[in-house]
Amino acid sequence: METLTARGRAVRLGATVIGLALLLYGTVRGTDDDFPFGPFRMYSTSEPPNAPAPDTRVEGVDRTGAVVPLGQEATGIRRAEIEGQQDRYAADPSLLRAVVDAFAERHPGAPELVEVRIVVRWFDIQGGRPTGEWTDETAVRWETGG
């Protein structure tokens, strides 16, 4: 086994100090985007026991008026990708064009979609248990112009 040189020790000590400084800064001032040097709050927090639980879905309306589920099977786009970008879709609903295009590519014979919407179903929770009641909220709506 070889002995570490003075320069090697200094480099390792410097890297350790920098790593610890980043970890401390991330703990105090960081966000989830700074992971692994910031907190990863996704699993470290919880909602109050009576807070409603959201369930997000994407649906479309075709030119016949039928409501079409636009989940992963229909579009290839995962729900998490939609939820993670929901603020962007709210700011610019025309970004939902990608969902329309993905659906059309997978279902070339299907009637054209004239509307796409992101709907959040809020499940009522009381005492940490679902009550069976829910309400739907249309978070984003975009008319395709088709």
Side-chain angles (χ1 to χ4, degrees):
M1 183 170 186
E2 292 184 30
T3 305
L4 198 59
T5 65
R7 181 174 181 215
R9 272 190 237 110
V11 168
R12 287 184 182 194
L13 181 62
T16 301
V17 168
I18 289 170
L20 289 173
L22 286 170
L23 188 59
L24 179 63
Y25 177 79
T27 299
V28 175
R29 306 271 306 164
T31 65
D32 285 351
D33 293 335
D34 301 322
F35 185 80
F37 295 106
F40 194 53
R41 292 184 177 97
M42 182 176 184
Y43 298 110
S44 67
T45 61
S46 64
E47 295 296 320
N50 294 329
D55 182 27
T56 304
R57 70 180 185 274
V58 181
E59 60 187 28
V61 178
D62 68 21
R63 95 176 93 86
T64 70
V67 175
V68 180
L70 298 175
Q72 185 172 350
E73 294 90 29
T75 64
I77 301 171
R78 295 181 340 203
R79 182 175 76 171
E81 295 176 50
I82 298 292
E83 289 175 337
Q85 300 294 321
Q86 190 167 324
D87 290 341
R88 288 185 62 222
Y89 291 120
D92 183 5
S94 69
L95 293 173
L96 289 169
R97 164 65 63 195
V99 175
V100 172
D101 293 343
F103 177 77
E105 184 178 314
R106 285 179 173 238
H107 306 279
E112 182 180 8
L113 296 175
V114 296
E115 182 179 24
V116 179
R117 50 191 177 223
I118 299 174
V119 179
V120 180
R121 177 163 287 176
W122 293 95
F123 288 96
D124 188 46
I125 306 290
Q126 293 298 317
R129 302 269 185 239
T131 65
E133 296 181 21
W134 47 265
T135 57
D136 282 346
E137 171 195 355
T138 301
V140 181
R141 173 179 276 131
W142 180 61
E143 294 183 15
T144 67

